[in-house]
Amino acid sequence: MRRLCLILGWLACAVPGLAQAHLVAAGQGAIRIVDRAAFVLLSVPVGALSGFDDNRDGLIDRAEIDAHRSQLDAQVSALLDLRSGEERGTLTFSDLLLPGEDGAPAGEVAAMRTYTWNAHPARLAVRVHLFHSDAARGRQLALRVIDGARTEAAMLDAARPAHEFFAGNLATFASFVRAGVGHILHGPDHLLFLLTILAVGASWRYWLTVVTSFTVAHSLALAASVFEWVAAPPRLIEPLIAASIVVVAVDNLVRGHRALAHRATLVFAFGLLHGLGIASGLAELGLGQQTRLAGLAGFNLGVEAGQLVFVAGLLSVLAALRALPLERWSNVAPRLASICAAVIGTFWLVERSFA
């Protein structure tokens, strides 16, 4: 009971505002700096650990943590490197817990750590070694650091496993550009919507109009959400995004080229929905007041860059197909793409509505 009270008190001080059902969500972490200490709560995938899986179920449970605590603690410590300047933080407290409140076996372990320095770490350099194993490859870590009124977030992965927090707006901007690119290129619903609206078009003027309309709309919605002018829960927005794919796909099939005259208006309306969905990804990074503008600008630029790469590749393919002497295929391909989009969008709509 004494140990539990200590942990709960540490948690309340270190990372307030985390979800009540879990100590820390998978792929996320938080660090709070207080005076000369940094309190860390980090989700560590079991794929980054070894030698604990006694029952060979690929998960970790309370008995395995207790049986291999020293070994696991040493492994987790090796995965983290916190520095202030050239001074490495001294580990003064550590513990491992299951992330769920029910104590069920999990694919993640909540690692709690406290590091101290000789002086307040005004700039905190964090390096994680979570992505070296095959099981952890492709994962990302959304890490948020809080120091008094300052908050900064970064998305870490195998290509970028380190970040220096509170290094300035330029570093924050660059970090969020990368996060925006990753968010859009790993967002299948956003890309499928773009495919659906572009496949039916036959001219560069149409493609430029709808892409511009979509870009302006989701950029406005993203900014409005970040500045808290509008708010919508993901459980409402995500099914509506799926529905937008179905609506446009069916419109392609029913009206064909007749739908193109007013397509930009429809795309703008649905772009607002997609912007709110993109905002939920940005919200998970924990933008603070000091880095909000730099983070928003960087994330939006990253989203647009990732979207541009996808659109450029898609339009190149579409232009090449239309240049081929296969008139029948050029007519069938847009309908086939719309049918596939309608089926996938309907599946997502049902799945997200009842999830």
Side-chain angles (χ1 to χ4, degrees), residues 63-273:
E64 291 169 338
I65 290 178
D66 291 340
H68 305 280
R69 184 172 295 277
S70 297
Q71 176 186 351
L72 291 172
D73 191 70
Q75 291 183 43
V76 171
S77 295
L79 296 175
L80 292 174
D81 186 358
L82 274 66
R83 296 176 185 266
S84 175
E86 296 299 322
E87 182 185 1
R88 188 172 185 175
T90 301
L91 182 65
T92 57
F93 171 82
S94 64
D95 201 359
L96 299 172
L97 299 171
L98 292 171
E101 62 178 2
D102 55 0
E108 312 271 335
V109 62
M112 304 172 68
R113 294 287 188 273
T114 301
Y115 295 86
T116 59
W117 288 265
N118 293 325
H120 180 83
R123 293 172 62 165
L124 183 66
V126 179
R127 177 176 292 274
V128 296
H129 304 278
L130 295 174
F131 315 107
H132 61 280
S133 67
D134 291 338
R137 189 167 293 126
R139 286 178 174 262
Q140 293 181 312
L141 173 67
L143 184 61
R144 181 165 55 103
V145 177
I146 307 155
D147 181 11
R150 301 189 301 171
T151 301
E152 186 174 323
M155 184 70 72
L156 305 181
D157 55 25
R160 189 173 182 275
H163 181 74
E164 185 175 19
F165 291 86
F166 309 121
N169 283 329
L170 183 59
T172 299
F173 176 82
S175 175
F176 275 79
V177 168
R178 180 179 179 82
V181 172
H183 179 83
I184 200 64
L185 294 182
H186 291 88
D189 49 2
H190 187 90
L191 299 183
L192 184 59
F193 182 81
L194 284 170
L195 171 63
T196 308
I197 63 174
L198 293 175
V200 73
S203 69
W204 288 99
R205 181 178 180 180
Y206 166 77
W207 289 333
L208 180 62
T209 300
V210 293
V211 170
T212 301
S213 179
F214 186 60
T215 299
V216 171
H218 72 63
S219 297
L220 289 175
L222 176 61
S225 179
V226 168
F227 286 103
E228 300 178 352
W229 297 335
V230 296
R235 65 178 180 273
L236 174 63
I237 294 300
E238 293 303 321
L240 290 177
I241 289 176
S244 72
I245 298 172
V246 177
V247 170
V248 174
V250 172
D251 194 33
N252 290 347
L253 295 170
V254 173
R255 296 200 296 163
H257 291 291
R258 291 182 291 114
L260 303 187
H262 305 289
R263 178 54 61 84
T265 302
L266 182 64
V267 168
F268 184 87
F270 285 146
L272 296 175
L273 285 176

Side-chain angles (χ1 to χ4, degrees), residues 2-41:
R2 181 180 179 182
R3 179 169 173 266
L4 177 60
C5 291
L6 173 64
I7 291 173
L8 291 177
W10 178 93
L11 185 60
C13 172
V15 282
L18 291 174
Q20 294 180 357
H22 292 81
L23 288 175
V24 60
Q28 295 190 26
I31 301 175
R32 179 177 287 277
I33 299 173
V34 180
D35 195 17
R36 297 183 297 108
F39 299 90
V40 182
L41 180 59

